[in-house]
Amino acid sequence: MATPVAVTKLRAKSHDAPDEVRAPDKTRVEIVQLEEATIGRFNFAPGWRWSECVKPVAKTERCQLSHVGYAVSGCLKVRMQDGSEMTIHAGESYTIPPEHDAWVEGNQSFVGIEVMSADVFAKP
């Protein structure tokens, strides 16, 4: 079992005033740095697809990151390299292993809060 991170300060920060914003095509990643963690609010517009919007930045064939998060709104379809698929719906917590592609399903933006890969997502 993983050892929990020790929190040393009482803190709150708004994603409406993020420490960093990354904005590849149809993508907005708002990063908030806390002492012990980096939290990202990921907003993917309708028509967003990792292999079209983030791949040119990441320069890898598939997303190489592991993701742990919570879907606030919209739907995200994920396809693994082996062909297995999953759709993440609003209100669901999720984990996604490396070696995947993903895309927004429908006409609503996907908004997710990420707690694992936010510090490096949409970066070379």
Side-chain angles (χ1 to χ4, degrees):
M1 180 169 255
T3 305
V5 174
V7 175
T8 59
K9 291 183 182 181
L10 185 63
R11 299 203 57 191
K13 288 176 100 174
S14 174
H15 283 273
D16 293 332
D19 295 312
E20 180 183 355
V21 174
R22 297 182 207 126
D25 186 34
K26 298 179 185 165
T27 308
R28 182 172 172 87
V29 179
E30 299 156 343
I31 303 298
V32 170
Q33 301 283 344
L34 301 171
E35 294 280 325
E36 296 80 12
T38 301
I39 311 295
R41 180 166 63 184
F42 292 14
N43 190 324
F44 305 145
W48 179 91
R49 187 177 190 107
W50 185 91
S51 56
E52 296 169 5
C53 300
V54 181
K55 178 180 176 177
V57 175
K59 299 187 184 334
T60 58
E61 193 57 34
R62 291 178 187 77
C63 183
Q64 299 299 306
L65 301 176
S66 295
H67 300 273
V68 175
Y70 173 77
V72 176
S73 63
C75 290
L76 187 72
K77 183 82 159 198
V78 180
R79 179 178 295 142
M80 300 302 300
Q81 183 177 9
D82 67 5
S84 60
E85 294 184 348
M86 172 179 73
T87 302
I88 300 166
H89 300 91
E92 295 179 333
S93 294
Y94 57 87
T95 60
I96 306 169
E99 295 293 334
H100 60 273
D101 192 8
W103 57 92
V104 171
E105 289 220 318
N107 295 323
Q108 182 181 12
S109 291
F110 175 82
V111 177
I113 303 298
E114 293 252 347
V115 296
M116 187 169 189
S117 64
D119 56 341
V120 293
F121 186 80
K123 286 180 126 178

